[in-house]
Amino acid sequence: MTRNSPTTRPRLTVIGTGYLGATHAVCMAELGFEVMAVDVDTTKIERLARGETPFYEPGLDELLRRNLAAGRLRFTTSFAEVADFGEVHFLCVGTPQRPDGRGADLRYLHSAVSSLAPHLRRRCLVVGKSTVPVGTAADLAARLAAEAPAGASAEVAWNPEFLREGFAVEDTLRPDRLVIGVASPAAEAKLRAVYEPITGQHGTPLIVTDFATAELVKVAANAFLATKISYINAMSEVCEAVDADVTTLAQALSLDARIGGKFLRPGVGFGGGCLPKDIRAFQARAEELGVGASLGFLRQVDEINLRRRQRVVTLARKAVGGSLAGRRVAVLGAAFKPNSDDVRDSPALAVAELIAAEGADVVVYDPMAMENAARVRPELGYAPSAAEAITGAEVTVLLTEWAEFTELDPAAIAERAATSTVIDARHALDRDRWQRAGWTYLAPGRPVPDLARLPRPRSERLAMATARGVS
Ligand code: UGA
């Protein structure tokens, strides 16, 4: 790995150690920088300092431990310490949806700046990576100039992050592109030096622009991805009206190189800590700027997405003969996507909750997200394995496409289910294989078999056989 020469490399700090910040801190240390990360959450900092990542991200644990051992990475809860240590400070705090509206809640960002600014006594660069409404960087620049003892020598830059959970290490060390919004040649030179290990080794394009464009690139990218997913899910709704098959439709579309197959997987829609709140915040900001009409379509993108959850519930209801009350339902998946333990705005948990609200006995299993799921949805039932969740279930609903689920042996688990009906809400299972193993296979956007002829629960079949005198 290329390392910066010790004479030119600035010391870095990372403010906020969530999915973004912890990954950024560890990866920058891996690139050879000395890094100090700060968080207000003492428990999180203690865990990170012990070499434990507070969330599941493939490959991150090992890099964390390696860089702690190498002495390049430190964790603290003191803003004075990071201000004293670093020359480039990365703001990586969360910007969730406001509790009272669709806009972004910037309280963590402002509180991070309030904590840091009074300690900034010498020339430094404060680089925002969090996803923010356009205009935030300029506001923070004005705040720093007023509040930092270094005044205008405490500069701001904006450098949005495009990492995907589950691929965070890869996306940080080998990004598709780097975008930096700067207000001075000095800030540009500093950030070019910071990213030289990446651009130098991989030839990664680095786009230099103003604050507003840099801020917009991030939300525009997430809005585009959300729109692409909702587009194919809208096609799913049309397919349902005419018994067409959205998976074949998506496959045919994806072979057009202009369209491409990425983010064109239909199913239960998008969730997570980014796409849903980002499209809402983007609309809210556009309205404030008087260009709300330009992003009016994002409201529909959101609505299509949320309707997919309801569609899965409708399929489940039909699968059990009309009412979910008192029925046992196995839910496979709780994370918003595989290879993550993140349950923020998870379609899987939302569907589980909707089904439970109809009186069903819902039993959830997820390979990694059980703890997080049980914390936010303690009222749902949980099983320690997929097989145990399916045991006695009258319908099994796959909501997160973990490899563990696609690799299940449908014949073996059919024995455990009360009724072998599966709803593949992510189009992840091999339909033919599950059907050959005796399962009734249902999926949103695909032709639904005649539900009146769906198999009855094993218990009912036994009762009917007994009534007819068949043993
Ligand atoms: C997303 C973006 O992909 C990243 O580029 C961005 O940096 C990040 O948000 C962020 O703003 O921090 P992430 O939320 O980790 O990353 O997850 P994605 O891989 O984008 O998946 C989002 C949701 O869309 C998941 O629920 C996934 O299941 C769903 N999805 C994805 C589909 O339903 N269909 C698809 O074809 C693709």
Side-chain angles (χ1 to χ4, degrees):
M1 184 159 292
T2 312
R3 304 257 188 242
N4 268 3
S5 90
T7 48
T8 59
R9 65 184 176 209
R11 296 214 289 189
L12 312 181
T13 85
V14 172
I15 295 146
T17 57
Y19 290 92
L20 165 59
T23 307
H24 189 64
V26 169
C27 288
M28 295 316 281
E30 177 66 11
L31 290 173
F33 292 93
E34 275 190 69
V35 182
M36 185 181 282
V38 64
D39 202 292
V40 291
D41 183 337
T42 317
T43 319
K44 212 187 258 182
I45 286 297
E46 283 169 1
R47 288 187 65 183
L48 283 160
R50 279 201 305 269
E52 285 171 33
T53 44
F55 50 84
Y56 174 67
E57 184 60 49
L60 191 61
D61 263 29
E62 192 199 325
L63 290 195
L64 168 66
R65 286 196 277 271
R66 181 153 82 214
N67 285 285
L68 280 171
R72 284 192 294 268
L73 184 57
R74 267 164 281 178
F75 293 94
T76 180
T77 51
S78 160
F79 279 86
E81 209 180 330
V82 287
D84 188 46
F85 174 89
E87 194 183 329
V88 179
H89 306 283
F90 287 99
L91 292 172
C92 295
V93 296
T95 51
Q97 187 173 340
R98 291 171 65 99
D100 58 347
R102 285 181 304 154
D105 184 347
L106 297 182
R107 81 178 81 169
Y108 305 111
L109 197 63
H110 283 295
S111 123
V113 170
S114 302
S115 305
L116 183 67
H119 303 290
L120 298 176
R121 300 181 198 288
R122 53 187 158 81
R123 176 168 292 283
C124 63
L125 189 61
V126 176
V127 186
K129 289 191 84 66
S130 310
T131 304
V132 290
V134 58
T136 306
D139 289 349
L140 293 187
R143 275 199 62 194
L144 274 192
E147 294 171 34
S153 308
E155 249 204 89
V156 164
W158 217 260
N159 166 222
E161 181 56 60
F162 304 105
L163 66 80
R164 297 160 298 167
E165 288 176 27
F167 300 91
V169 172
E170 174 72 16
D171 286 350
T172 307
L173 292 175
R174 274 173 289 276
D176 295 335
R177 78 297 207 190
L178 291 156
V179 176
I180 56 173
V182 289
S184 76
E188 177 184 339
K190 189 61 71 190
L191 277 174
R192 280 189 184 278
V194 166
Y195 286 122
E196 197 285 325
I198 295 175
T199 53
Q201 193 177 352
H202 305 293
T204 311
L206 184 142
I207 294 172
V208 182
T209 184
D210 52 83
F211 289 167
T213 309
E215 291 166 319
L216 280 173
V217 171
K218 173 59 190 275
V219 280
N222 275 2
F224 184 83
L225 295 171
T227 304
K228 207 172 170 195
I229 299 168
S230 275
Y231 177 82
I232 198 62
N233 282 330
M235 294 306 113
S236 197
E237 295 185 345
V238 178
C239 285
E240 281 157 14
V242 290
D243 270 350
D245 190 329
V246 75
T247 58
T248 311
L249 179 95
Q251 187 198 2
L253 290 183
S254 72
L255 294 172
D256 184 330
R258 294 168 304 172
I259 297 174
K262 289 185 179 156
F263 278 70
L264 205 64
R265 276 185 296 103
V268 68
F270 57 81
C274 303
L275 262 47
K277 62 104 177 159
D278 286 353
I279 59 168
R280 292 172 198 150
F282 197 13
Q283 287 170 76
R285 184 66 182 133
E287 278 158 24
E288 284 170 9
L289 294 168
V291 286
S294 307
L295 299 188
F297 70 96
L298 286 180
R299 185 179 282 277
Q300 287 183 348
V301 165
D302 202 1
E303 285 168 3
I304 293 164
N305 191 53
L306 296 175
R307 280 205 297 271
R308 290 288 79 193
R309 301 175 181 187
Q310 203 57 60
R311 172 67 187 157
V312 177
V313 179
T314 305
L315 278 177
R317 208 184 290 123
K318 284 187 180 162
V320 296
S323 167
L324 283 160
R327 305 306 192 116
R328 183 168 165 128
V329 179
V331 164
L332 301 185
F336 83 106
K337 67 173 187 179
N339 300 317
S340 169
D341 62 358
D342 193 349
V343 298
R344 286 177 294 170
D345 206 342
S346 165
L349 274 191
V351 169
E353 189 70 12
L354 288 169
I355 294 177
E358 298 199 12
D361 170 18
V362 175
V363 184
V364 181
Y365 168 72
D366 187 284
M368 281 291 165
M370 297 288 272
E371 216 175 288
N372 287 343
R375 197 172 52 243
V376 296
R377 296 271 184 260
E379 66 282 8
L380 298 172
Y382 293 90
S385 68
E388 277 162 90
I390 292 168
T391 304
E394 293 168 64
V395 59
T396 296
V397 192
L398 183 142
L399 286 155
T400 313
E401 67 277 32
W402 285 95
E404 184 177 327
F405 301 149
T406 56
E407 287 161 6
L408 282 170
D409 176 356
I413 52 163
E415 294 298 314
R416 291 172 162 264
T419 309
S420 33
T421 300
V422 66
I423 299 174
D424 182 7
R426 290 287 188 178
H427 300 173
L429 303 175
D430 179 341
R431 179 176 63 175
D432 294 347
R433 187 161 168 252
W434 281 67
Q435 284 176 336
R436 276 198 307 276
W439 287 80
T440 299
Y441 177 96
L442 306 175
R446 302 191 84 174
V448 175
D450 182 359
L451 290 166
R453 290 169 48 213
L454 283 183
R456 289 164 184 277
R458 207 177 300 283
S459 55
E460 272 181 38
R461 291 200 310 268
L462 283 175
M464 283 161 64
T466 313
R468 289 199 306 269
V470 184
S471 61

